[in-house]
Amino acid sequence: MATLQDIGVSALINLFGAFMFLIAFAVLRIQPINDRVYFPKWYLSGDRNSPRRSDGNLVGKFVNLNYKTYFTFLNWMPQAMKMSEAEIIRHAGLDSAIFLRIYTLGLKIFVPAMILALVVLVPVNVSSGTLFFLKKELVVSDIDKLSISNVQPKSSKFFFHIGVEYLFTLWACFMLYREYNNVAIMRLQYLASQRRRPEQFTVVVRNVPDIPGHSVPDTVDQFFKTNHPEHYLCHQAVYNANKYAKLVKQRERLQNWFDYYVLKHQRNPHKKPTCRTGFLGLWGNKVDSIEYYQQQIRDFDHTMSLERQKVLKDSKLMLPVAFVSFDSRWGASVCAQTQQSKNPTLWLTSSAPEPRDIYWQNLAIPFISLTIRKLVIGVSVFALVFFYMIPIAFVQSLANLEGLDRVAPFLRPITRLDFIKSFLQGFLPGLALKIFLWILPTVLLIMSKIEGYIALSTLERRAAAKYYYFMLVNVFLGSIIAGTAFEQLDSFLHQSPSQIPRTIGVSIPMKATFFITYIMVDGWAGIAGEILRLKPLVIFHLKNTFLVKTERDRERAMDPGFVDFKETIPSLQLYFLLGIVYAVVTPILLPFICIFFAFAYLVYRHQIINVYNQQYESCGAFWPHVHGRIIASLLISQLLLMGLLTSKKAADSTPLLIILPILTLAFHKYCKHRFEPAFRQYPLEEAMAKDKLEKETEPELNMKADLADAYLHPIFLSFDQELDEEEEKERHREKEIPEVRVDKHETRSSSPVTELGTPSYHNQVYNSSSPSSHYASAYEQSSYHYEAHRYEEHEYRYN
Amino acid sequence: MATLQDIGVSALINLFGAFMFLIAFAVLRIQPINDRVYFPKWYLSGDRNSPRRSDGNLVGKFVNLNYKTYFTFLNWMPQAMKMSEAEIIRHAGLDSAIFLRIYTLGLKIFVPAMILALVVLVPVNVSSGTLFFLKKELVVSDIDKLSISNVQPKSSKFFFHIGVEYLFTLWACFMLYREYNNVAIMRLQYLASQRRRPEQFTVVVRNVPDIPGHSVPDTVDQFFKTNHPEHYLCHQAVYNANKYAKLVKQRERLQNWFDYYVLKHQRNPHKKPTCRTGFLGLWGNKVDSIEYYQQQIRDFDHTMSLERQKVLKDSKLMLPVAFVSFDSRWGASVCAQTQQSKNPTLWLTSSAPEPRDIYWQNLAIPFISLTIRKLVIGVSVFALVFFYMIPIAFVQSLANLEGLDRVAPFLRPITRLDFIKSFLQGFLPGLALKIFLWILPTVLLIMSKIEGYIALSTLERRAAAKYYYFMLVNVFLGSIIAGTAFEQLDSFLHQSPSQIPRTIGVSIPMKATFFITYIMVDGWAGIAGEILRLKPLVIFHLKNTFLVKTERDRERAMDPGFVDFKETIPSLQLYFLLGIVYAVVTPILLPFICIFFAFAYLVYRHQIINVYNQQYESCGAFWPHVHGRIIASLLISQLLLMGLLTSKKAADSTPLLIILPILTLAFHKYCKHRFEPAFRQYPLEEAMAKDKLEKETEPELNMKADLADAYLHPIFLSFDQELDEEEEKERHREKEIPEVRVDKHETRSSSPVTELGTPSYHNQVYNSSSPSSHYASAYEQSSYHYEAHRYEEHEYRYN
């Protein structure tokens, strides 16, 4: 048990650690060579093409020599706060803006709660010292003097705690309601303000029935012409293009080599680059590389176009899935919300996710296997949460020195060395656990993929839910009650339901120190590590030094990353849980939580503005989960407080708490009714209003052409795209213009396909297009471009 | 503990009781005087106007003198089986036909299970006699020798039981699947075969927002013209007509008196009937009754038409609810299934129930109060289920002799009599409980009404769910574990979750005798009592003797009743639970269950054909609940068997059972996906097909006129109706035609309002219109009429 001093020391160490990270970040980020690591978002949005330099010499290209900038090393904080929320939405999308609101919600809930708890509860707890009398029996820390443990059993002072719990719940619910309302309004406004996009007019139809003698497109066409005669426009079939996708990858590799040799030749025009045609270029005939690869690519393109034709024409490769487009938002919204067939497992319609959000592999899963998949994954997640220690213990039992000796006896002389022996002894068993925890989110994502969801955003939300359960059981409960989750499960099965909250409730105040340390290590230092981006920094420089051959490679080496909702949101929910549970029990924990929320808010704001590039836009579809889990945390805290008070024999006051969970649940139900439909369905009123407005402003509009290729599998599009680029490049080369890199935005905005935002595909393939371009029509895009140019000019003048 | 002989004696007694009921029924039903009690359905459907008589004399009018008919007293059984299912659907509606399928489902599940269990399990149980050794410690009945209790702990014979449980579950699931499929198809076919009815084109809209300066009709009109421009037709506002409803009742009373005096005058034309105008007709001036009431009714009609104008015009009495009609089923189905407004608490649409199914009082409940109402009722039901003994014990403590003495000391001389004393002592405490159990279904219905559902069918389903919980806890669990539900709850809260199934599981085999007796008393004898209709019989004759003044009164005294879903379905589900739980534990219970199902099937088939007149048609909307609760019973039985086997230390075999509940749950989820939407939503494909067909057959159709008054509050309609009838009667009287009774069918089918089935209202008011008329258009109705006339002619000739 830690004293207040211990906590203080720990806080200092962690603060120092966080501080060191921040210093490192401040120094590294102003080096031009790191510019693509710390400001990739601006590259992607087209506002920046090369690092800002202080002067033109060679050293200045890599190192910042302007000593003045070193003194203002914390100026990223006010910079991060400068951008308004509306600007963030425009710059990084609604998801990011709503994600930041989780942090402000944390502050709004916990800062007043902290003040209340510190002013009311800490004096109450300190003034009634039971623990002083018991000192000899129990090990009591200073922290416990400030916590509820210090209050004597049967004391009437527990009314204070119950009062504060009531006030706190009311306040939290009030803030939750306001925030849910705000987010719902933001979402609807965002949807209303969006320009025409394919997903607004499109519905994804799954389980198209197989009618003998009819192809899938015929069946779909006939069905929707019959049942939605007034609004049905066209549809797009979905192909099983796994083989073709492989070819696309191979061609990309060839293209890279070709680019590499062209670049090499340009740098050294006197020497023609050559290579060998044999295995790995080690033997075979020596040939002119450029010509060789050019020929190879041409051959390959021929094979690919054949394969492409095959995929598009072979009806066996056609999946029973289609993207059906309507001539109005109203028609699409109606089709998505209604049941089509009398067999409810056929013609399953739902709003189409945006094209870049689709997880194509899952489109083909038949309905009946979905139930089985969900069942299997449900059981697996349960097993994973409660029994994950079993395989790890097994691996650990193998991965010790004896095991190593048996498997690799020749290593024995080395493993006998004392230093290495003790290192391995300490290191190996932990390794398995660490590897497991590291890959856990990925494993959970794969599990969600097996469940068969067709949108990346849904997949991430499902993975986040699983991760939350894991953390709740293994981090929260696992830390409070010693022992593995499996042991807990076993003991819970053999305890009475009224005993469980008591068991947990009693040990809660004792674990406050642990969680304070956890908040500082995982929260404070972890967030500071987030802003430093050590991993992307190292990887970028490694790639830059060893692998980057072409400009495109450099672009690809630049990894902006994204807010990883499936990891960050569950962690955040854990902090909410900690704050809510300890608010009344050990209020001294709240300042640590508040500092975490404030600091993380700043860091993520900075990162969202300068670094991250979201993969998709779900318009805050995760908020109902955030809301729901905060409500769950409130319920858990009420239950545990009840258990704690029962163990304190506060029979007078405990019954007062019974009403609270019921009210909380009622509040949750109300919110669900009131707000959740806004996150699930597109109301007809909105759809109709938008349709009308559009018809008035653009009365002659060829929707069909716009929607024709919107939902083609990205690999087909990217192939077209590359062919286009290729031709353009050839033309450039013929004209002997030295700049090889083609401004993709221009090519795109001139192509008719992009008018409805399709360049977004290339995002997945290249990570290079602007995210805002997805929301902008060709017109907006070019205006963005104009602004981007102005920005660059401005920056150059500034430097 | 009963021996097999005891059970046999009990069975004989109950069989004898049931037999006596049947004999009584067979004798009573062929008496002409009881014709309206045992064949009301035929009167209502218009196929019969007066009892079939064996001869024309006065005695024959009341008593059946044809001695031959007494010998064929069981011929109702084959008669009941004669009608095919399709005919039953046409005759009594789909609900009744599907209700009968519950019984056949019971037979289909339990008869093979019984054979399997008797052939496999009974020999296994008998052959391994542990209980013989323990005889001195335990009281063992003969029944227990046939049950699982007889198998030694740790025996490997438990594999037989687990195998049978697996087979049984598989078989039950297979039958459930087939039956769900059949019922879903029947429902869709029924919906498809229905002729045009207002609810197919109508959507009920709740929570119409209050826009200042706009009346509700204006708001509704504008909203739907904007958002459903292609299909919106018209709408009907809903008025708060409680005051008017009172006036309607008063007028009905006046009308009855008027009819009475007219009849009296006709019977005795020489004496003008007179009455006094004062209080209760006891004093005041003597006046000519007929003239007096005629005048009174005229005055009243004036007041009523004023009030009616007021209700229809005062915008304050207009509720924020409307019935919105569309020009096609497609339009209505789309509107019902979609979200209209961006505020999901406004413009709540759902398919309109049929007009006679609407519970008008609940239409005005605002959205926010619904959540609160549901919460309050949820808590109340929980309290009712678990704590219902508390108020009853309180009442019981008052209602003893001492209490009676205190309240009414003057009764003391009587209560001191030994005979009366012991009677009261034994009777009074039980009285409170009996009254409670008797009014319980009504109380639960009222609770459901408070929850705010707007359809009678939904109200009944909700009440049935509550009744099921009550029976599950208080009859099933309460009988297995002694003690009140509250004591059980308390003990469960203090037991570990793994202990609970064990506690219950162990006592299950011991209670088999009790439940066998329960099945015989409540099931066999109860069902035989159902066919006897003792209560309606007595009440009909009492009313007929003392109250019936007019023909209309006699019609009203005829109470056909209806299948009371809210009571019968939960009881049935309890029998399913008993059968499923005991199938493996004490298989000897199964024959009793099977006899119950077979007998009840016959009885209800007879009653549905000859007696009951359903209040509404929900097209089998209760089936998902039936299915769900049988699945729940399977889960309960698996859990209890697991507990029982654990207590038998069958560690080898018990783990095999764990997979079964998971599979059962998966099956349930699949069925839910596969079939439930058919019971909730009207698929667009069906709607469109029906629309097209109709457009082809009836291209020129004035939908608007048909729908105009379909959803007017029934009291407005009945008033119009009575006015019409009144006029007609006057005309009749003027022409001095002796027949006063007006054939209502003709008036109705000639009025334009009825074309879409609106006479159904009168059903509630008069219980006099034909149920099939609701499904028939004017054309069908008139053809029915024709048949009815033929029937009447036939009957007259016969007599």
Side-chain angles (χ1 to χ4, degrees), chain A residues 212-380:
Chain A
H214 284 71
S215 70
V216 174
D218 288 353
T219 316
V220 171
D221 223 45
Q222 203 179 340
F223 185 84
F224 284 95
K225 266 184 188 151
T226 312
N227 294 307
H228 294 269
E230 283 139 350
H231 297 285
Y232 171 66
L233 200 67
C234 59
H235 78 277
Q236 229 161 327
V238 178
Y239 307 95
N240 190 351
N242 289 341
K243 200 185 157 197
Y244 185 67
K246 256 188 206 163
L247 291 178
V248 169
K249 257 193 188 163
Q250 287 176 14
R251 190 192 180 281
E252 225 170 281
R253 210 160 46 226
L254 288 176
Q255 182 69 41
N256 267 336
W257 280 109
F258 176 72
D259 289 354
Y260 169 70
Y261 284 115
V262 169
L263 259 182
K264 204 174 172 185
H265 183 55
Q266 274 174 2
R267 280 184 198 142
N268 189 2
H270 308 297
K271 199 187 155 196
K272 278 242 161 189
T274 57
C275 68
R276 290 172 190 277
T277 56
F279 179 71
L280 284 178
L282 293 179
W283 50 77
N285 300 327
K286 244 190 184 176
V287 290
D288 181 320
S289 305
I290 294 179
E291 275 172 25
Y292 173 71
Y293 277 106
Q294 211 160 7
Q295 188 54 41
Q296 285 261 314
I297 287 172
R298 269 190 208 128
D299 294 352
F300 218 86
D301 284 349
H302 184 65
T303 329
M304 278 178 77
S305 64
L306 283 181
E307 173 70 23
R308 193 167 185 247
Q309 295 298 321
K310 197 184 136 203
V311 168
L312 292 175
K313 274 175 190 156
D314 190 352
S315 64
K316 273 180 207 154
L317 289 174
M318 211 169 264
L319 298 174
V321 183
F323 290 94
V324 176
S325 295
F326 293 82
D327 69 349
S328 65
R329 290 171 184 82
W330 192 91
S333 184
V334 158
C335 183
Q337 291 180 45
T338 49
Q339 193 195 333
Q340 308 302 318
S341 156
K342 66 180 166 184
N343 180 345
T345 63
L346 297 179
W347 299 107
L348 299 168
T349 53
S350 56
S351 297
E354 43 171 348
R356 61 183 169 151
D357 190 12
I358 287 174
Y359 185 69
W360 293 89
Q361 282 93 313
N362 276 354
L363 280 173
I365 300 172
F367 185 79
I368 186 157
S369 96
L370 280 183
T371 317
I372 298 166
R373 280 157 180 261
K374 270 180 195 147
L375 174 72
V376 169
I377 293 298
V379 172
S380 316

Side-chain angles (χ1 to χ4, degrees), chain A residues 731-767:
Chain A
R731 252 181 288 133
H732 273 271
R733 220 169 286 122
E734 280 160 20
K735 287 185 203 160
E736 287 188 322
I737 292 168
E739 170 122 8
V740 176
R741 189 176 168 275
V742 177
D743 191 331
K744 274 163 204 145
H745 289 293
E746 278 175 2
T747 6
R748 265 170 220 148
S749 48
S750 67
S751 103
V753 177
T754 56
E755 297 231 331
L756 268 152
T758 33
S760 35
Y761 292 126
H762 308 288
N763 221 16
Q764 288 179 319
V765 184
Y766 301 131
N767 268 334

Side-chain angles (χ1 to χ4, degrees), chain B residues 422-440:
Chain B
S422 61
F423 174 76
L424 284 179
Q425 214 96 341
F427 182 70
L428 273 182
L431 188 66
L433 181 61
K434 264 175 202 139
I435 290 174
F436 169 78
L437 289 179
W438 186 63
I439 60 166
L440 180 64

